């Protein structure tokens, strides 16, 4: 019987080194350009597709890791390269996770490849959950889906906000209300196939950070999709709604099921950015001289760097624990998934701010990447559940009470 070990196996170290090489050689040299252009970095996506880094096969391989760490390892390395470009590569994975969380095996086989396209013609996918008046408040969603029994079609109307790849995606995964009397338990997730009439987007939103990643509102105006595009199928939905109407547990709802699957991965994203800022500021402090000595020889600078390293490593351990638990179906009895995302997100914002401070005036300029890293990091305390929502999840889990 093997003993406890935190050492990565050969497959995981090979994966880490492979992705790190791509992040170092392809992503980093392009980071500043695509941040300034605020455009989707299609050439980088194409390069990633050519080597098999972007595609459903790689994502499936990472998910298949029985230890559960491969996806977190790859994600950290990509975001170490650059967060905006990395999110352009990883955003499709959120939609794929939505299909995985709610879809049937047949739907996974049909639609996940459509999310990514091919090596020669890569595509994107979008997961559309948030709305203008409802982000963290998933029970407040207003987008409606109505079943047309005569044509076996679902008709969807509403507006989605802050959708990564929204409007430019090949496949959109959309959450919608099918029974408004049941709150969040009356929701379902749907596939919007490529080219479906009625789906539109006004264009990319200009953002504080993650500028290379496309974020947009998505409008759904009498969008008609085949009945088979309801993730999980109508029989499963009807059964779940019946249980909810009777007051029984319904097994959760579509948006939260996806977020629980992806929160440790978002934590890994945040760690990648924090680590990049830490490493850059460490090298800067070892090289920069002031008052006749390297600035790292000052305790205030050295202690900042020591704290950065400690906090990043602690956050990574929380992410790895949650990733292992999720892969091995160990229940998050204390909100461990939310813990990992909460800690990593706040560490990323703090560490990138300290990196700017260590560089001083230089860190505030675009001549050094820590300025961009700081802008990119802020979103980790906001999207896929704010820090306050993560604390709420943990508080409810440890207390067993419905804390508001």
């Amino acid at each position: 019987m093997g003993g406890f070990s935190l050492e990565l196996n050969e497959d995981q170290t090979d994966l880490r080194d492979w992705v790190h090489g791509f992040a170092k050689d392809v992503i980093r040299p392009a980071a500043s350009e695509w941040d300034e252009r605020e455009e989707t970095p299609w050439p980088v996506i194409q390069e990633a597709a050519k080597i098999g880094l972007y595609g459903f096969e790689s994502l499936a391989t990472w998910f298949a890791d029985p230890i559960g760490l491969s996806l977190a390892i790859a994600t950290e390395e990509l975001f170490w390269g650059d967060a905006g470009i990395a999110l352009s590569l990883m955003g499709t994975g959120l939609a794929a996770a939505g299909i995985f969380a709610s879809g049937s095996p047949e739907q996974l086989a049909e639609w996940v490849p459509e999310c990514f396209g091919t090596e020669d013609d890569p595509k994107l996918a979008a997961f559309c959950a948030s709305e203008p008046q409802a982000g963290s408040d998933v029970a407040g969603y207003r987008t409606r889906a109505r079943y047309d029994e005569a044509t076996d079609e679902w008709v969807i109307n509403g507006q989605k906000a802050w959708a990564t790849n929204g409007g430019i995606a090949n496949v959109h995964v959309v959450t919608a209300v099918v029974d408004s009397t049941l709150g969040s338990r009356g929701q379902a997730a749907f596939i919007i196939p490529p080219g479906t009439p009625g789906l539109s987007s006004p264009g990319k939103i200009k953002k504080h950070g993650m500028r290379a990643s496309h974020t947009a509102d998505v409008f759904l105006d009498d969008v008609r999709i085949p009945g088979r595009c309801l993730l999980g199928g109508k029989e499963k939905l009807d059964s779940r709604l019946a249980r909810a109407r009777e007051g029984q547990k319904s097994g959760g709802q579509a948006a939260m099921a996806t977020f629980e699957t992806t929160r440790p991965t978002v934590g890994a994203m945040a760690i990648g950015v924090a680590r990049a800022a830490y490493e850059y500021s460490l090298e800067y402090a070892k090289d920069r001289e002031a008052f006749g000595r390297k600035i790292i020889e000052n305790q205030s600078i050295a202690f900042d760097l020591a704290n950065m390293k400690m906090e990043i490593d602690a956050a990574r351990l929380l992410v790895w624990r949650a990733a292992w638990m999720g892969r091995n179906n160990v229940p998050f009895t204390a909100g461990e998934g939310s813990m990992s995302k909460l800690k990593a997100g706040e560490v990323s914002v703090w560490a990138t701010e300290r990196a700017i401070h260590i560089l001083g005036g230089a860190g505030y300029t675009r001549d050094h990447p820590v300025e961009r890293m700081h802008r990119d990091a802020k979103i980790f305390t906001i999207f896929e559940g704010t820090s306050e929502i993560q604390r709420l999840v943990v508080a409810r889990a440890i207390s067993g009470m419905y804390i508001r």
Side-chain angles (χ1 to χ4, degrees), residues 121-177:
D121 186 22
K123 303 292 186 182
L124 300 174
F127 183 73
C128 307
S130 292
E131 299 185 1
Q133 304 300 321
S136 298
D137 178 19
V138 295
Y141 291 167
R142 297 178 182 177
T143 297
R144 297 288 188 267
R146 173 181 60 82
Y147 183 61
D148 186 342
E149 193 168 352
T151 60
D152 184 29
E153 290 179 317
W154 287 92
V155 185
I156 305 177
N157 284 280
Q159 178 184 353
K160 293 296 181 178
W162 314 113
T164 299
N165 299 330
I168 65 171
N170 191 48
V171 172
H172 291 76
V173 178
V174 174
T175 58
V177 177

Side-chain angles (χ1 to χ4, degrees), residues 265-293:
T265 306
V266 177
M269 296 176 184
I271 292 167
V273 177
R275 190 183 112 216
Y278 157 73
E279 291 177 0
Y280 193 92
S281 56
L282 173 62
E283 291 307 310
Y284 184 91
K286 290 162 67 176
D287 183 65
R288 166 80 164 144
E289 291 189 5
F291 300 101
R293 60 181 177 179

Side-chain angles (χ1 to χ4, degrees), residues 16-249:
R16 180 193 62 197
D17 295 344
W18 176 52
V19 179
H20 183 83
F22 183 83
K24 178 175 179 288
D25 297 335
V26 180
I27 293 178
R28 280 206 164 178
S32 179
E33 175 189 352
W34 291 101
D35 177 71
E36 293 288 346
R37 290 175 63 168
E38 298 192 49
E39 297 174 1
T40 301
W42 283 108
V44 180
I45 296 171
Q46 183 79 64
E47 285 297 310
K50 284 181 179 178
I51 66 169
L53 181 56
Y54 180 80
F56 72 93
E57 294 94 345
S58 58
L59 191 67
T61 300
W62 301 343
F63 268 116
D65 176 6
I67 301 174
L69 299 187
S70 287
L71 182 57
I73 291 167
T75 300
E76 179 180 334
E77 296 304 327
L78 287 172
F79 278 75
W80 173 89
D82 175 68
I85 292 176
L87 190 58
S88 292
L89 293 167
M90 294 293 293
T92 294
L94 181 58
I99 299 172
F100 179 81
S102 304
S104 66
E106 294 77 17
Q107 288 171 325
L108 264 69
E110 178 179 5
W111 292 111
V112 173
E114 287 283 337
C115 290
F116 290 95
T118 65
E119 174 185 321
D120 297 325
D121 186 22
K123 303 292 186 182
L124 300 174
F127 183 73
C128 307
S130 292
E131 299 185 1
Q133 304 300 321
S136 298
D137 178 19
V138 295
Y141 291 167
R142 297 178 182 177
T143 297
R144 297 288 188 267
R146 173 181 60 82
Y147 183 61
D148 186 342
E149 193 168 352
T151 60
D152 184 29
E153 290 179 317
W154 287 92
V155 185
I156 305 177
N157 284 280
Q159 178 184 353
K160 293 296 181 178
W162 314 113
T164 299
N165 299 330
I168 65 171
N170 191 48
V171 172
H172 291 76
V173 178
V174 174
T175 58
V177 177
V178 294
D179 186 338
S180 60
T181 67
L182 297 176
S184 63
R185 300 175 77 184
Q187 297 172 10
F190 301 85
I191 294 283
I192 311 295
T196 300
L199 185 148
S200 63
S201 176
K204 183 178 181 180
I205 297 169
K206 290 188 173 294
K207 307 188 299 295
H208 174 66
M210 298 282 194
R211 292 179 177 180
S213 173
H214 185 100
T215 305
D217 289 349
V218 173
F219 292 88
L220 303 123
D221 184 13
D222 282 337
V223 171
R224 284 184 169 269
I225 57 173
R228 65 183 178 84
C229 290
L230 165 65
L231 286 175
K234 194 167 188 304
E235 183 178 340
K236 184 177 178 181
L237 172 65
D238 288 342
S239 176
R240 177 165 63 83
L241 294 177
R243 291 196 303 273
R245 292 182 187 113
E246 293 171 1
Q248 300 177 29
K249 290 186 177 180

